Amino acid sequence: RGIMHIPESISSAGAILADSVEWSNINLYQTVEPAKMYGWIRDISRTKASDLAAHAGQEPHHVDSNLENVVPSREGAPVGKDFEKWIEENSSRAETLIIGGGVAGTATAFSLAERGISSTLVERASSLSPPTGSSNGDSRMYRKMYSSEFFSKMQAKALDRWADVERKTGTKLLQENGLLFYGEDTGETVEGSVLGAREVMEKLDLPHKFYATGDEIADAYPALEGCRGKPYSGVCEDTAGHIRASKACQAMADGAGDKCTVKLNSKIVSVNARGEGGKVVAVTEDGETITSDNAVVCAGAWTNRVLESADLPPLNLEIWRVQWAHYEVDDDVAAASIPQAFHFRKEQSDVDGGLYYVFPSSATESVQNGGRSYVKVGVDFPTGEALSDMGSFDYDGSQEVLELMDGWVKEHLPSVGGRIDSYCHPYTMTEDSYFVMDKLADNVAVFSGGSGRAFKFGPLLGDCMASLLTGDEAPVDLAPFSAGRAAVCTNREESRRPVIQQ
């Protein structure tokens, strides 16, 4: 079956190798970061196993006869003498260490590069914006249509910066296809409200259309025939659209050029923010040591794990399991009348949070198929209880939520066909739905708590994080994003805690 058994003397020699280090350099053995030892042992074991398989010609019955080709003799110095040299060879330096390869991490790398500052970006997964995180996929909305003037103005600045990314990388990332908010008067939600958005659009004199009834919405958007006769209102921003999410993260990393070194499959297991000379010293699961002048933590749902490893105060964050799926639709129907839309309705049950969205077929490039198109439908409420850690995260999501989505599609998009897949991603939420952009130590800044609304601000977030490191004026007021505010400070009595001095 192509399976080879590697003897335990090669594959499970960790204790012997560690003893060898103790014998050859007792001081190093007693003081070394455990992750470095584990990394060295895994590296030796992996190399020896690979060499043995090669000597055996990938033939299982030739393994024993080739052991002598990979097992060192008992004469000479112990193998542990090489450990110190291995540490040196697996160490690197950086001006800035960025932990996390989603939108905030790649945007920070892009912004720092524009300032001539180099960075090393480490991502625990095998790609930037991996499927296990919240920055992955074909599409994220961008819009000025907010119930908050602050975020509406922030989006305007962010759009200018997205244009800079597109221009520098030659990559088309944003597509204007309009956005409709419609539904019941739910009051304010994590995504705002129809009437709140209309008020801000009017106050800022931003172009928009208002629909006073469900019938008007159905007349304007035939695919939303389910609105007819309902007590709905709607507001549309024609200049809104979607961002090609995964492509955008890759483009920002590419735009950083040789100023950013990207290391994939690099899981940080320890961070010392008080290293010698005020440096940040981080160690990966494979034992690599990265020493930097400062660090930016953009680890999403894994933020508190990183902060804990750095002995820095955790943030009050929740992890939501948020679901979405693709539904099949005829090309002519998809192109003609299915808008990018967000539906506000009152909760129908304990499971149904009432917030649904749809992206048009132009926002589902990865699943296009000859003669057929697909729309993306999702919910903006959590599956089950919020989590505090990724240890119990279930990427399968909930069948009950999928059935709610199917029912919503049948009611509101009657021309749309069946569901072809489903996804569940982690969203890192704060109590007040504002993100965190702040310094937790003189040399450590953090972005977290994107709360399902951060992606649209992409490169502007990078500018904010860069300003925290350089001391330059931030492009927006960072006070609402303080790590010391009551909503995210884990010790409410210490709200607006001071930055840890080195």
Side-chain angles (χ1 to χ4, degrees):
R1 298 181 181 180
I3 298 174
M4 294 186 66
H5 170 72
I6 301 298
E8 289 190 1
S9 60
I10 300 295
S11 63
S12 303
I16 296 173
L17 292 170
D19 289 344
S20 180
V21 174
E22 182 182 19
W23 190 88
S24 62
N25 190 331
I26 184 64
N27 184 61
L28 177 60
Y29 176 82
Q30 292 175 336
T31 59
V32 71
E33 173 81 28
K36 296 181 183 181
M37 177 76 77
Y38 298 146
W40 174 67
I41 290 171
R42 281 194 296 267
D43 189 27
I44 288 180
S45 300
R46 183 169 50 244
T47 300
K48 292 290 186 182
S50 178
D51 288 348
L52 178 57
H55 281 292
Q58 304 295 328
E59 295 291 340
H61 58 280
H62 289 164
V63 168
D64 290 343
S65 61
N66 280 278
L67 279 173
E68 61 182 23
N69 292 318
V70 297
V71 176
S73 70
R74 295 180 178 273
E75 299 178 1
V79 68
K81 69 178 176 55
D82 297 328
F83 181 39
E84 188 170 5
K85 181 180 179 182
W86 183 91
I87 294 175
E88 294 175 0
E89 292 174 345
N90 287 272
S91 297
S92 61
R93 294 186 176 273
E95 283 189 77
T96 299
L97 171 64
I98 302 171
I99 302 173
V103 64
T106 55
T108 300
F110 180 82
S111 188
L112 289 174
E114 288 186 317
R115 292 161 170 76
I117 300 173
S118 64
S119 64
T120 293
L121 186 155
V122 295
E123 166 56 51
R124 59 187 285 146
S126 59
S127 69
L128 296 175
S129 62
T132 51
S134 60
S135 294
N136 179 267
D138 286 332
S139 52
R140 294 294 185 278
M141 292 183 185
Y142 70 84
R143 57 184 168 96
K144 299 175 188 174
M145 194 161 59
Y146 265 99
S147 296
S148 161
E149 289 185 47
F150 179 82
F151 281 115
S152 183
K153 293 176 180 177
M154 190 170 166
Q155 178 71 97
K157 292 183 178 182
L159 289 174
D160 290 338
R161 291 296 282 138
W162 278 118
D164 292 339
V165 177
E166 289 184 319
R167 189 163 44 249
K168 184 166 185 177
T169 63
T171 306
K172 180 66 174 173
L173 300 173
L174 274 65
Q175 179 167 323
E176 183 179 291
N177 46 239
L179 172 63
L180 173 70
F181 271 19
Y182 76 99
E184 299 174 277
D185 181 7
T186 59
E188 291 303 310
T189 71
V190 292
E191 294 293 345
S193 69
V194 174
L195 299 180
R198 180 195 185 192
E199 180 180 346
V200 169
M201 297 293 278
E202 290 178 343
K203 189 171 184 178
L204 298 181
D205 196 27
L206 296 173
H208 65 283
K209 299 174 185 175
F210 180 70
Y211 303 98
T213 67
D215 288 357
E216 290 183 15
I217 295 170
D219 289 341
Y221 302 95
L224 297 178
E225 182 62 27
C227 293
R228 194 170 300 281
K230 288 186 167 59
Y232 286 174
S233 60
V235 59
C236 176
E237 178 195 350
D238 286 338
T239 56
H242 73 268
I243 307 165
R244 295 172 172 86
S246 293
K247 288 184 178 180
C249 293
Q250 186 63 57
M252 289 189 287
D254 292 343
D258 59 8
K259 283 294 183 180
C260 179
T261 299
V262 175
K263 294 179 178 288
L264 302 176
N265 298 306
S266 293
K267 177 183 176 182
I268 297 294
V269 294
S270 74
V271 179
N272 179 5
R274 305 173 184 84
E276 185 177 349
K279 302 293 186 181
V280 177
V281 182
V283 180
T284 72
E285 190 174 53
D286 288 332
E288 180 182 3
T289 303
I290 304 172
T291 302
S292 61
D293 296 332
N294 43 55
V296 181
V297 180
C298 304
W302 293 268
T303 294
N304 278 336
R305 286 190 187 182
V306 176
L307 297 182
E308 180 183 4
S309 77
D311 196 26
L312 290 171
L315 302 172
N316 180 29
L317 302 171
E318 290 186 343
I319 301 169
W320 283 14
R321 289 166 287 182
V322 179
Q323 295 183 234
W324 56 277
H326 292 109
Y327 291 78
E328 193 173 34
V329 61
D330 288 331
D331 277 349
D332 55 349
V333 173
S337 62
I338 296 179
Q340 180 170 301
F342 208 101
H343 180 215
F344 299 81
R345 74 175 183 184
K346 295 175 182 176
E347 299 176 1
Q348 306 295 301
S349 68
D350 292 340
V351 177
D352 182 5
L355 302 176
Y356 293 78
Y357 64 81
V358 57
F359 280 94
S361 60
S362 60
T364 60
E365 296 171 336
S366 67
V367 290
Q368 293 299 319
N369 188 12
R372 302 295 289 176
S373 293
Y374 303 90
V375 294
K376 174 182 174 181
V377 174
V379 299
D380 215 352
F381 54 81
T383 293
E385 296 295 323
L387 306 175
S388 60
D389 185 82
M390 285 297 290
S392 60
F393 192 91
D394 179 8
Y395 284 96
D396 291 332
S398 160
Q399 184 62 34
E400 189 172 5
V401 171
L402 291 176
E403 290 172 359
L404 284 171
M405 289 166 53
D406 293 345
W408 182 87
V409 167
K410 185 176 181 179
E411 177 184 358
H412 288 267
L413 298 169
S415 59
V416 170
R419 171 166 45 89
I420 65 164
D421 57 22
S422 66
Y423 300 86
C424 184
H425 283 170
Y427 276 27
T428 311
M429 310 294 291
T430 63
E431 193 175 277
D432 58 6
S433 296
Y434 277 70
F435 356 117
V436 177
M437 293 190 287
D438 204 352
K439 295 182 78 172
L440 297 185
D442 282 346
N443 54 0
V444 180
V446 62
F447 175 91
S448 193
S451 299
R453 60 166 59 174
F455 201 104
K456 62 180 68 68
F457 304 111
L460 190 66
L461 304 179
D463 294 341
C464 292
M465 299 309 295
S467 73
L468 289 170
L469 301 182
T470 63
D472 296 336
E473 183 179 357
V476 300
D477 180 12
L478 294 184
F481 307 112
S482 164
R485 69 186 192 271
V488 295
C489 185
T490 49
N491 186 340
R492 300 303 174 92
E493 294 180 0
E494 296 180 10
S495 183
R496 190 52 274 170
R497 60 195 168 208
V499 166
I500 297 172
Q501 302 296 317
Q502 304 301 315

